Amino acid sequence: MKKDFSLLTVALPSLLIAFPGFAAESEIKQRNTDKSTEVISDILSLSEIELPATNAELLTQQSAPSEVNPETEQTPSDDPDISIEAIGEPENLPQSTPTYVIDQEEIQKQGATSLADILKRMPGFAINDVGHGADIHTGTYYRGASINQSVFLINGRPINNNVNIYHGGTDLNSIPVEAIERVELYSGTASALYGSSAFGGVVNIITKAGYGKPKLSASAEFGSLSLNNQQVNYGGSSANVKYNFSFERFFTDNRYRVPVGAANRDSQGFLSNADTATSTYFGSIGLNLDQKNSLNLDVTKLSSRRGLIYFGFPLQRDRLDHDGLNVGLSWKTRLGNGENSNLTTSIGYNQDYFSTYGPTGAFYRTGALDTQQLTARVEHEWKVTSNDKLRWGLDLKNTDLTGDVLSTDPSRIAKNETEDKSLFNTALFAVNTLNIGENFLIDLGLRQSFDSQFGNYLNPSVGLRYALTPIVALRGSWAGGQRNPGLDQLYVYDTVHGWEPNPDLSPETGSTWSAGVDVNFSENLIGQFTYFGSSIGDRLGVIDGKWANIGLVDTNGLEAALQLKIAAGWSTFLNYTYTDSQIKTGSEKGLQLGLIPYSVLQSGVGYQNAGWQANLYVTYNSGARRSIFANSSDKSTDFAPSFVNLDLSGRIPLTSNLGLTVYLENLLGEQYERVNRIYSPGFTFRVGLSSNF
């Protein structure tokens, strides 16, 4: 752990010393908005307006503006001197914790093939994936919290279902990357707005909307491990209608040699059963009814077939079929004169069908989970006074789960069953932001839930922000939370592991907190530094083959995010996260929570000019504890070794509308252990063509 802290103390000053002077084409200004400091740029990003590519944007997350004008937003146009007024989708988010954003341009630079690829570049995330198109077992942790202890949204609607175990976690491959406009990451009092289970944070995936003349973009990519990926996007607007449609087809066999002792190693020495094939569809249509009212419909469809490999030893041959459908309809209206009051009403439908199946010697097993959710949300955003903003509303969610369990194993036949369960949840929420004086604000949040399974519970939150000077601001937050067990953990037998359900499970309860400072070191260097922590009791786990509440986990950590504009066309970033998630009770008392590395560092430098791009990314991972499905020779205290990974991406313009893209991954060629005896493939490459018409 000490060497991880020393890495941070060396890396951050080095970054500052390496670039003592620099110039930038865009002037970054400071302004006081609602008595708080934010940073803006005079020049629109390429995601906002089309211009010849002459400047590199910051490679990764940036602090989102504290307020977006609810009247209008800047929309793309073929004329750089023209901005189009449209009813936008502003987020009046609490300012007491940072909001990190990765936009469409950065997603393209990274060559991301899934949401997991996007998130791994953001501060606080540790993602233990197998590779391209990683299966549903991708281990995703944000600030020490698992994927099911965070809330995932698409355009503000939940996509988490009420299924929590291996074949029901939120699928980070379920949305076509080509359909994503940006990804936003919140924490703190934002949990009052979107769900009490957000111990980690809230990930909001904002999809593209069509603007301007109709445009068709397409890409085709091929590479190592039999990878092939085709994407098509068509979008535009006409009069009061805007539309966008995307399709993505992805395949990789993920078959490569792995060392002796690796999980899922077949008799020929290859990683087995790691192939992935997905087809994803997305469409959205928006209609501006008049100057105060707009409607928007979006639909996402997923069909995926893949192998499951995170079951450890011996070789596993289980397969997973996952089909998903998400539909949302929202109506936005400006009340009164449209300046101080906005009402949003949305309804959604989300279905996830998971089917796992596979042989076990002479026997066969299958488990199917069909989850269907209906959601509704009414939200009012009201600027009560110039110093008082209120965001409040009502959430409704009904979940139906059908679980089928079938095994031909004589020892398990008695467990065969079909479960049909329903759950209804209602929540009232409110976050009030008060500006006190010139430089101080406070966020007060409440979320009152009414649950048909676990009764009524209240989760409060509070956040503070104080601008010491025009360039330094202090902030802090605290939020209480509750994460309820999944319907499958309560009622459905797990045929793969042999885990029994437990209808007497209690919710995980606890709180999260953070404290930090935002610093504008100069016109071109921005830093955000955060101490974070959480305490989660009644943690869910498995004891003697049965789900149970097994204890308490306390997490403490540090998070640093730096963005630097080096010179015209150049930019760089550095993210570092230290996470100490310590088990406080039970047989593993005092150990780090499994699969969570102490330290993760992401950094990169990029150059962009006249359509040419080159971006170098470096990742350091301190290694995670091998805690589950480990080799019999592994101890519960064993950690995977640390590793460093280098990736290079680039774009070469062939014509004004056609470019050659190249991604070289793991340049060092080291076959390091990602997690739990799962090894990387070594050096891989991807080459493709991208076009716009």
Side-chain angles (χ1 to χ4, degrees), residues 666-679:
N666 196 352
L667 293 175
L668 301 178
E670 179 185 355
Q671 194 167 29
Y672 52 80
E673 182 180 348
R674 290 180 183 268
V675 66
N676 231 50
R677 298 293 184 184
I678 300 293
Y679 290 83

Side-chain angles (χ1 to χ4, degrees), residues 627-691:
S627 62
I628 57 174
F629 312 122
N631 198 327
S632 58
S633 62
D634 292 335
K635 301 177 182 178
S636 63
T637 55
D638 286 349
F639 275 71
S642 63
F643 64 84
V644 174
N645 181 75
L646 290 176
D647 296 331
L648 177 67
S649 69
R651 182 183 187 275
I652 302 171
L654 302 178
T655 69
S656 59
N657 296 319
L658 184 66
L660 175 68
T661 57
V662 179
Y663 303 100
L664 306 178
E665 293 157 316
N666 196 352
L667 293 175
L668 301 178
E670 179 185 355
Q671 194 167 29
Y672 52 80
E673 182 180 348
R674 290 180 183 268
V675 66
N676 231 50
R677 298 293 184 184
I678 300 293
Y679 290 83
S680 72
F683 172 78
T684 60
F685 71 91
R686 292 182 283 146
V687 178
L689 292 173
S690 61
S691 60

Side-chain angles (χ1 to χ4, degrees), residues 348-359:
Y349 171 78
N350 188 56
Q351 181 185 26
D352 278 300
Y353 176 80
F354 296 94
S355 176
T356 54
Y357 51 92

Side-chain angles (χ1 to χ4, degrees), residues 308-321:
L308 297 176
I309 62 173
Y310 264 20
F311 295 140
F313 303 88
L315 175 65
Q316 298 294 320
R317 296 182 174 86
D318 294 279
R319 306 290 298 174
L320 170 68
D321 294 347

Side-chain angles (χ1 to χ4, degrees), residues 50-53 78 108 178 214-220 231 233 610-612 651-661 688-693:
E50 283 199 14
L51 290 171
D78 292 326
Q108 292 173 347
E178 185 61 33
K215 293 183 180 179
L216 175 67
S217 62
S219 66
Q231 300 186 42
N233 186 83
W612 293 78
R651 182 183 187 275
I652 302 171
L654 302 178
T655 69
S656 59
N657 296 319
L658 184 66
L660 175 68
T661 57
L689 292 173
S690 61
S691 60
N692 293 280
F693 303 99

Side-chain angles (χ1 to χ4, degrees), residues 209-290:
Y211 295 103
K213 296 179 180 179
K215 293 183 180 179
L216 175 67
S217 62
S219 66
E221 188 178 82
F222 302 90
S224 305
L225 311 179
S226 302
L227 181 145
N228 68 81
N229 183 18
Q230 297 86 43
Q231 300 186 42
V232 178
N233 186 83
Y234 180 73
S237 63
S238 176
N240 294 325
V241 179
K242 54 185 180 181
Y243 50 87
N244 193 81
F245 304 98
S246 298
F247 168 74
E248 180 177 4
R249 178 186 177 274
F250 181 92
F251 173 79
T252 181
D253 65 11
N254 271 329
R255 180 170 171 80
Y256 52 88
R257 290 193 176 277
V258 291
V260 175
N264 249 56
R265 185 178 189 268
D266 65 16
S267 58
Q268 286 78 44
F270 287 87
L271 181 70
S272 177
N273 198 44
D275 58 289
T276 291
T278 62
S279 294
T280 51
Y281 307 81
F282 171 80
S284 71
I285 299 177
L287 176 63
N288 287 345
L289 301 175
D290 53 39

Side-chain angles (χ1 to χ4, degrees), residues 60-108:
T60 189
Q61 88 294 329
Q62 58 186 6
S63 180
S66 59
E67 179 183 356
V68 180
N69 187 343
E71 286 282 342
T72 62
E73 66 175 0
Q74 296 295 325
T75 57
S77 166
D78 292 326
D79 188 339
D81 296 325
I82 296 177
S83 64
I84 301 172
E85 288 195 1
I87 296 178
E89 300 186 15
E91 278 284 17
N92 178 23
L93 291 166
Q95 301 172 42
S96 49
T97 54
T99 297
Y100 299 117
V101 179
I102 288 186
D103 63 17
Q104 176 189 354
E105 183 185 7
E106 174 57 23
I107 293 171
Q108 292 173 347

